[in-house]
Amino acid sequence: MATELTVLEPVSTSCCSPVTGGVLSDAEATSLAARFKAMGDPSRLRLLSLIAATETGEACVCDLNESLDLSQGTVSHHLGILVKAGLLTRTKRGQWSFYALVPGAMATLARALDA
């Protein structure tokens, strides 16, 4: 069953206070939950790791397909979820899509959990 995620604004470094640092607003809780939910799949975590590990900080979808034992359509679906969650950016070059981590996105999530 497919789950629809709302498109979020890019992560800002001041997105969210630490979960243990006070009561989150509804908007902060929704934003954080959507990002953590997007990361709640082993294939998506692997995709984030693969992209972060590249020399240029970005990867072509054509290269990512070879790294996972998943179909091109499944990889594209997972990448789309990560883009909608504000964790990756997508740029088109010709027929190929290139993906990169949103600057500061992972650090913001880490800070949100920092006690």
Side-chain angles (χ1 to χ4, degrees):
M1 181 173 162
T3 302
E4 188 172 308
L5 296 174
T6 57
V7 177
L8 302 172
E9 295 299 317
V11 179
S12 71
T13 56
S14 62
C15 160
C16 310
S17 60
V19 173
T20 58
V23 178
L24 294 172
S25 70
D26 286 341
E28 288 174 323
T30 299
S31 176
L32 279 173
R35 288 181 175 95
F36 284 119
K37 184 176 181 178
M39 292 181 7
D41 180 277
S43 296
R44 291 194 284 268
L45 282 175
R46 185 112 192 272
L47 285 165
L48 287 169
S49 175
L50 288 165
I51 294 167
T54 62
E55 277 186 33
T56 61
E58 67 177 3
C60 176
V61 68
C62 58
D63 296 328
L64 294 169
N65 289 334
E66 297 171 7
S67 300
L68 300 170
D69 190 26
L70 300 172
S71 70
Q72 186 275 329
T74 301
V75 171
S76 292
H77 168 75
H78 286 306
L79 290 166
I81 289 172
L82 293 168
V83 168
K84 287 179 183 176
L87 299 171
L88 293 178
T89 61
R90 173 181 30 227
T91 56
K92 294 276 282 179
R93 296 185 203 146
Q95 68 180 10
W96 298 111
S97 291
F98 287 79
Y99 295 86
L101 290 174
V102 171
M106 301 309 282
T108 298
L109 292 175
R111 278 192 306 277
L113 295 176
D114 194 18

